[in-house]
Amino acid sequence: MTRLAIAGAGPAGLAAAIRARERGLDAVVLERRAPPLEKACGEGLMPLGVAALAALGVAVPPERSAPTAPSGAAPGSRGTRAPARFGLRRHFRVAPWAPFVEVHWRAGVEAYVTPVASDEVGVAFLGRTGGRAFAALVADFPALRTRLARATPVTPARGAGPFRQRVRRRARGRVALVGDAAGYVDALTGEGLTLALRGAVALVDTLADGRPLREWERAWRRITLGHRVVTHALLAVARAPRVRARLVRGLAADPALFDRLLAIASGEAPLAALGVGGLLRLGVALGAPAPPPTAS
């Protein structure tokens, strides 16, 4: 019987352990922290991620979730080139004010607001946070500051980063990397959990089928291709304020194109799904007149 030692009880590690049990493998999870583990994350899960959880027999309690839809971004002041990006997030006890994931942009930092329950929202700041306190980041977004003025924090502020993790090889000898450790671009498109779950299942299936670990490398590249391409492109756009403003305005006018890009980024659709027509529409979106900068 194949025996697995899984280092870390995060989403990828637990998914690997569940899949190992399903495939008849003997697995042990090694974790130095006591559960439940507090994870610095935006708590957003794309449909493919929900399906991956369901396939592992994990159901999200309806009272602890809030179905959402992506929303357009609100361009803020001028952006800057950020060599390293970090994240900071916190939950607040307040009824979600919209059934959307809100994205607010300012110089070098984005703010994401995600409904996570009927009476709770998660707020995450991504970008060059500069080690600033959570309250200081909230103060940079007047609209968000007003929304949270009477909200009660229900979790401590948690941080993570730098996001970009470059990995030359995901397997060597009898050791394989999965989850963020296998290589990661950025949290800006919200597919981290989905990729972790799908990657964990693919790695365990590779081992259970008796295939060499080099096939896990190929599986990882296939699973993450759309995410890597779309995320790199969006990071480049985010560093160019005028282009970013045009893209936001263009995608707001063409929600079907926005949905297609999200599907590619999450792995629901292949990169080829964009097609020539999608590329032309993306060019039109990038050519849309840019609105004047506004305060968040």
Side-chain angles (χ1 to χ4, degrees):
M1 175 182 291
T2 300
R3 294 182 176 179
L4 304 179
I6 302 170
L14 293 180
I18 294 172
R19 186 58 175 171
R21 175 63 64 89
E22 291 177 342
R23 294 298 308 267
L25 305 183
D26 184 15
V28 60
V29 179
L30 308 176
E31 174 57 65
R32 64 180 180 178
R33 298 166 295 175
L37 304 182
E38 181 74 10
K39 179 176 172 59
C41 179
E43 283 74 47
L45 196 61
M46 294 296 184
L48 203 62
V50 176
L53 278 181
L56 292 169
V58 179
V60 179
E63 68 276 7
R64 297 303 303 157
S65 64
T68 61
S71 175
S77 56
R78 294 181 59 190
T80 56
R81 185 177 182 85
R85 285 165 53 87
F86 293 80
L88 199 65
R89 80 98 172 95
R90 197 171 198 180
H91 285 198
F92 292 84
R93 184 77 67 207
V94 61
W97 49 87
F100 301 107
V101 176
E102 286 189 354
V103 185
H104 304 261
W105 299 74
R106 286 188 69 83
V109 179
E110 309 103 48
Y112 296 79
V113 182
T114 306
V116 294
S118 61
D119 61 348
E120 192 172 316
V121 300
V123 178
F125 295 102
L126 308 182
R128 191 166 61 180
T129 56
R132 301 171 65 204
F134 195 92
L137 291 169
V138 171
D140 281 346
F141 295 83
L144 189 55
R145 181 181 61 202
T146 300
R147 292 282 191 184
L148 298 177
R150 298 184 179 180
T152 303
V154 293
T155 69
R158 302 284 295 184
F163 289 139
R164 183 71 186 274
Q165 298 295 321
R166 295 178 175 89
V167 178
R168 292 183 180 179
R169 298 175 61 178
R170 270 143 285 275
R172 185 170 185 176
R174 300 173 66 183
V175 176
L177 301 176
V178 70
D180 292 353
Y184 193 64
V185 180
D186 197 270
L188 130 132
T189 51
E191 282 83 32
L193 288 174
T194 297
L195 296 176
L197 297 173
R198 295 183 65 206
V201 169
L203 172 59
V204 172
D205 285 349
T206 298
L207 297 172
D209 294 341
R211 292 177 279 136
L213 277 175
R214 63 175 177 271
E215 293 197 18
W216 155 236
E217 178 74 31
R218 288 196 288 267
W220 181 89
R221 292 184 178 279
R222 182 181 67 254
I223 290 170
T224 63
L225 176 60
H227 164 76
R228 288 183 282 121
V229 171
V230 173
T231 304
H232 277 301
L234 288 178
L235 286 173
V237 168
R239 292 192 291 264
R242 291 185 180 277
V243 177
R244 180 186 70 197
R246 290 191 181 98
L247 181 63
V248 169
R249 188 179 180 90
L251 292 180
D254 191 348
L257 177 60
F258 186 34
D259 287 344
R260 190 178 303 183
L261 289 173
L262 285 178
I264 291 172
S266 67
E268 293 179 76
L271 189 60
L274 185 60
V276 175
L279 285 173
L280 292 174
R281 289 160 60 192
L282 187 57
V284 171
L286 289 172
T294 58
S296 172

